[in-house]
Amino acid sequence: MTSDPLSTDPNSPDPSGHPGDRSDVFDQKSASCNGSSSGTSTCSPSISCSDSGLAIAGEATPGPADGICSEAPNNSNPARSKLAKAISFSQTVGFAFAIVALQMGQGILLARLLGPIGRGEYATTVLYVQMALYVGLFGGIEVICRYAADRTVETIKLRRAAMWLGLTTGVITTGLVVACNVIALPDEKAYLMSLGCLCAFSVIGQHVMLIMTAVDRGAGDFTRYNVRRFIAAAAFPALLLVAALVTEVTLTLACVLFVIASALSMAACVVGLPQIATGESEPPVNQLLKESRPYGVSMLATDLFERLDLLLVMWLVPLLTQGFYAAMVPVVYPLTVIPNTLGIYLFNTAADRSKRLQTSDVHRILGGSIAIQTVSTIAFMIVIGPLVRLVYGEEFAPAIVFAWWLAPVSAIKGILQGLDSYVKGRGKPLAPIRCRIVAAIVMLGLTAAFVGTYGAIAIAAAALVGQVICLVWLSAIVYADVREQNAEMEPS
């Protein structure tokens, strides 16, 4: 693999022999960086770098919104630019739905092969991997995506830097996950500690894959990006399916395959990279870690809140109930896909200082999103019962009630991911942190008050209340920001 040119010419060829489609290359001027007296800066690059569907953690828990890293288009050929962007968008959305299908298939396989209790055991072994996966990236995706979009660093050097950054954050996060499994498992589930520690090593491969695919997205190479993330999503269910055809799949084997799948996803990103260990990389890892801090802190609050229900389920309910709950998580994931795509536009609009939303635009976007999610959720809740019985088997019938509660949770979560994209595009990644903290406190309080009576349903209901709090609060943040922008533009 050879490096891409540093030129931003839309028609410049890619030296690898493929035509270089630069129609999605954006003007670096649309990024805004606000420096502080401390010497740090909070940058709002014109890219949407959050991710979803890339991680292979067995719960298939939705990650952050699946955005396309992009900049303001080169206007020398508007028609070609619009066509190319439409094709890239359609391709990426198509792959997103394919990955959703893979994740649902993975969830069905795990449930069928392991049964309800085994599914709960597996959920325990991968829980801390899920909890720490995106948090441990510490904003690495965003900062790498920005460099790739700006094209200020040679692509091959940036790929190596992304690899080293992924290895660094992966090793650190692996240590954290191992520690959590050693000291933070309920007594009745402590026998799963060794398998939890084994699964912790999957973090390294997943971090390398997640951060290296950010180079493809930032550079506008969506074909490579989509293919690599599809390989990452397909690795684990494919291994499970093959194993099921030749032998009995036990919990231990599932955990081993989980780690192997992580290594395969990493290999898909490093294959073809010349001088992997000895070649020059740029920027240095310590610089990348420093620049990623605001996004890392934002991700910490967001991801811990979004996975708080899974943590509470592990600690407060028995394995059988945990298995039912965990099995329904990938089932409701499709409800996040449509509003996730909205985040692509919201981030780019927010990052482009030549564009401004009006209050009426927010009314239309937010109202339309809520209407679509409401209709989708109602339809989902009508059909989910028969589908679970058909696909998962009658033994998972008690899990249907969790799907009913988790469906609106997932639907609102998708809207929040879109609103988060707008706030990040405005260079305010820390703005939603307070609402996540308040929502988490409310969630913990409701769980403590009602879990004794209603069990895991109380946790799901508390998660729904927390999502509603965040929706109202984050919507207010977006409205306030839009009004502030319009006030600044009005003549004095």
Side-chain angles (χ1 to χ4, degrees):
M1 183 183 298
T2 55
S3 61
D4 290 343
L6 298 178
S7 169
T8 57
D9 180 1
N11 301 310
S12 61
D14 179 32
S16 63
H18 303 286
D21 181 6
R22 296 294 185 253
S23 60
D24 281 329
V25 174
F26 291 68
D27 187 354
Q28 183 180 347
K29 292 180 181 179
S30 62
S32 61
C33 295
N34 300 319
S36 67
S37 58
S38 62
T40 60
S41 63
T42 302
C43 296
S44 172
S46 56
I47 50 178
S48 178
C49 304
S50 50
D51 200 2
S52 174
L54 286 174
I56 59 175
E59 301 306 316
T61 305
D66 184 37
I68 296 177
C69 295
S70 52
E71 302 174 338
N74 188 319
N75 294 323
S76 59
N77 194 337
R80 179 175 179 270
S81 176
K82 289 181 179 179
L83 177 61
K85 290 177 70 176
I87 293 173
S88 293
F89 175 75
S90 300
Q91 180 193 66
T92 303
V93 170
F95 269 93
F97 276 105
I99 289 171
V100 168
L102 285 171
Q103 291 175 331
M104 294 182 68
Q106 171 183 305
I108 294 168
L109 275 172
L110 285 168
R112 285 284 196 175
L113 295 172
L114 300 178
I117 292 180
R119 188 64 181 83
E121 291 176 327
Y122 180 80
T124 299
T125 64
V126 300
L127 176 62
Y128 287 119
V129 173
Q130 286 184 300
M131 295 286 294
L133 182 63
Y134 284 95
V135 172
L137 288 166
F138 203 67
I141 291 177
E142 282 84 357
V143 70
I144 287 292
C145 217
R146 186 196 72 196
Y147 273 103
D150 287 348
R151 297 184 181 272
T152 55
V153 177
E154 187 179 352
T155 301
I156 291 297
K157 294 179 180 179
L158 185 60
R159 286 192 182 279
R160 293 195 194 100
M163 181 193 69
W164 289 117
L165 178 61
L167 288 172
T168 301
T169 60
V171 169
I172 294 171
T173 307
T174 295
L176 175 63
V177 174
V178 168
C180 287
N181 278 284
V182 170
I183 65 176
L185 283 178
D187 291 340
E188 66 274 17
K189 300 174 184 179
Y191 69 94
L192 297 169
M193 179 183 68
S194 59
L195 290 178
C197 291
L198 171 63
C199 290
F201 288 93
S202 69
V203 173
I204 298 174
Q206 294 193 70
H207 271 207
V208 172
M209 177 271 297
L210 286 166
I211 295 179
M212 289 192 73
T213 52
V215 180
D216 298 323
R217 295 189 324 204
D221 193 347
F222 300 123
T223 299
R224 290 180 183 175
Y225 163 63
N226 286 323
V227 168
R228 284 169 173 155
R229 71 176 186 149
F230 185 84
I231 291 172
F236 186 43
L239 289 174
L240 277 176
L241 183 59
V242 171
L245 293 175
V246 299
T247 187
E248 179 184 0
V249 177
T250 63
L251 175 63
T252 300
L253 179 56
C255 292
V256 170
L257 295 178
F258 178 56
V259 177
I260 293 174
S262 170
L264 292 176
S265 67
M266 178 176 66
C269 295
V270 300
V271 167
L273 182 64
Q275 298 177 295
I276 294 176
T278 60
E280 183 180 356
S281 63
E282 185 183 355
V285 170
N286 59 346
Q287 178 181 333
L288 294 172
L289 289 172
K290 181 179 180 180
E291 294 178 6
S292 65
R293 287 176 187 171
Y295 296 98
V297 174
S298 175
M299 181 61 70
L300 175 64
T302 299
D303 227 45
L304 289 182
F305 167 69
E306 292 190 349
R307 286 163 171 78
L308 182 58
D309 63 324
L310 296 175
L311 181 64
L312 292 172
V313 165
M314 185 191 73
W315 273 95
L316 300 177
V317 305
L319 279 170
L320 180 63
T321 306
Q322 185 181 2
F324 290 144
Y325 194 101
M328 294 301 100
V329 171
V331 171
V332 301
Y333 180 41
L335 290 170
T336 67
V337 174
I338 294 177
N340 276 348
T341 61
L342 176 64
I344 299 171
Y345 297 100
L346 288 177
F347 190 102
N348 294 340
T349 299
D352 188 348
R353 289 180 291 177
S354 66
K355 299 178 181 178
R356 292 291 182 269
L357 290 179
Q358 302 295 321
T359 301
S360 59
D361 295 324
V362 182
H363 291 333
R364 174 173 46 83
I365 293 170
L366 190 57
S369 298
I370 293 174
I372 291 172
Q373 292 301 86
T374 301
V375 172
S376 300
T377 301
I378 292 173
F380 176 90
M381 294 175 72
I382 292 172
V383 304
I384 193 58
L387 285 179
V388 167
R389 286 187 167 91
L390 175 66
V391 177
Y392 283 81
E394 193 62 35
E395 64 179 338
F396 277 88
I400 296 172
V401 65
F402 296 124
W404 290 337
W405 280 100
L406 291 174
V409 171
S410 188
I412 296 174
K413 187 180 297 183
I415 299 175
L416 288 176
Q417 289 167 355
L419 296 177
D420 266 333
S421 293
Y422 175 85
V423 174
K424 287 183 178 180
R426 287 284 295 149
K428 300 177 179 180
L430 303 180
I433 288 180
R434 187 179 301 173
C435 75
R436 262 42 185 267
I437 294 174
V438 171
I441 293 172
V442 172
M443 201 174 151
L444 290 172
L446 290 174
T447 299
F450 298 107
V451 71
T453 304
Y454 299 102
I457 292 178
I459 299 175
L464 177 57
V465 173
Q467 294 291 336
V468 171
I469 291 172
C470 286
L471 176 61
V472 174
W473 198 321
L474 196 51
S475 298
I477 291 175
V478 172
Y479 274 112
D481 181 81
V482 169
R483 293 191 185 100
E484 179 184 343
Q485 292 181 71
N486 292 330
E488 290 175 353
M489 294 183 66
E490 292 177 359
S492 55

